[in-house]
Amino acid sequence: MATSMSIKRSHHGVGVLNNLLYAVGGSDDHKNLKSVECYNPCLDTWTPVAKMSEYRYGCGIGVMEGVLYAIGGKNNSNCLKSVEAFTPSSGVWTKIADMHFCRMFFGVVVLDGLLHVIGGMNNEDLHLNSTEIYNPKTNTWSLKTLLKDVDWVYSGVVVNRPPHFKTYDD
């Protein structure tokens, strides 16, 4: 059993960076949060880190090249297209380029040095049939339409299969 977080949270984002677990935003059942805390499994302790500039309920988290990204979600009134990046060495959240669309409850996958944000919902609770791809080298987002209509994408995993690995279908 691990020590409890210092703040009750639901619908928060979670990411692992430098062997530490980050709980980002969410809701305490009364209000949306912009607070962030970090769990050190070696010490079994939670430590608050800098707050984000936005409240983020239902946000996505991506971890890439030593940076933790808090993506989209919902503040106290609107779905967001804004993104913030946290670098532990500076201890500061920095705004980066906005996505094309506001979204919450979506999948986030890191592949080949790019951050992929897949599906989700917008302000009108409509499911989005698109993927936005962030390139940290240019601080830009590109937009792709998903090949099939998707009703709901909430999470994602990429398995980069080694060439020597065979499946039953091969």
Side-chain angles (χ1 to χ4, degrees):
M1 199 66 180
T3 299
S4 297
M5 287 184 279
S6 58
I7 297 173
K8 178 180 176 182
R9 294 174 192 271
S10 66
H11 298 89
H12 55 284
V14 176
V16 175
L17 177 58
N18 300 331
N19 296 315
L20 301 173
L21 177 71
Y22 289 82
V24 180
S27 170
D28 67 2
D29 291 338
H30 300 290
K31 64 183 182 310
N32 292 342
L33 304 169
K34 56 179 161 179
S35 62
V36 180
E37 50 189 314
C38 174
Y39 178 71
N40 183 327
C42 296
L43 302 174
D44 190 29
T45 57
W46 287 94
T47 305
V49 299
K51 290 183 179 182
M52 298 176 289
S53 64
E54 290 276 1
Y55 295 91
R56 294 186 185 274
Y57 168 89
C59 67
I61 302 297
V63 177
M64 182 170 60
E65 298 175 9
V67 178
L68 182 85
Y69 294 88
I71 307 158
K74 186 173 185 173
N75 62 18
N76 289 323
S77 55
N78 292 308
C79 188
L80 302 168
K81 60 182 178 178
S82 65
V83 183
E84 299 179 58
F86 178 77
T87 307
S89 59
S90 71
V92 175
W93 287 94
T94 305
K95 288 187 155 239
I96 63 167
D98 286 351
M99 294 183 291
H100 293 89
F101 298 114
C102 64
R103 31 180 106 224
M104 58 186 167
F105 302 122
F106 47 83
V108 179
V109 172
V110 174
L111 181 64
D112 295 332
L114 301 172
L115 194 63
H116 300 257
V117 175
I118 307 163
M121 296 170 45
N122 64 12
N123 260 340
E124 292 80 38
D125 290 337
L126 296 174
H127 296 182
L128 298 168
N129 189 26
S130 61
T131 298
E132 302 208 34
I133 303 163
Y134 177 70
N135 184 334
K137 292 179 179 152
T138 60
N139 190 31
T140 57
W141 290 89
S142 57
L143 185 64
K144 304 267 185 195
T145 302
L146 294 174
L147 295 177
K148 295 183 177 184
D149 282 339
V150 205
D151 188 37
W152 185 262
V153 175
Y154 188 74
S155 181
V157 174
V158 169
V159 177
N160 196 359
R161 185 176 75 168
H164 66 276
F165 184 79
K166 300 288 183 196
T167 66
Y168 292 109
D169 297 332
D170 290 341

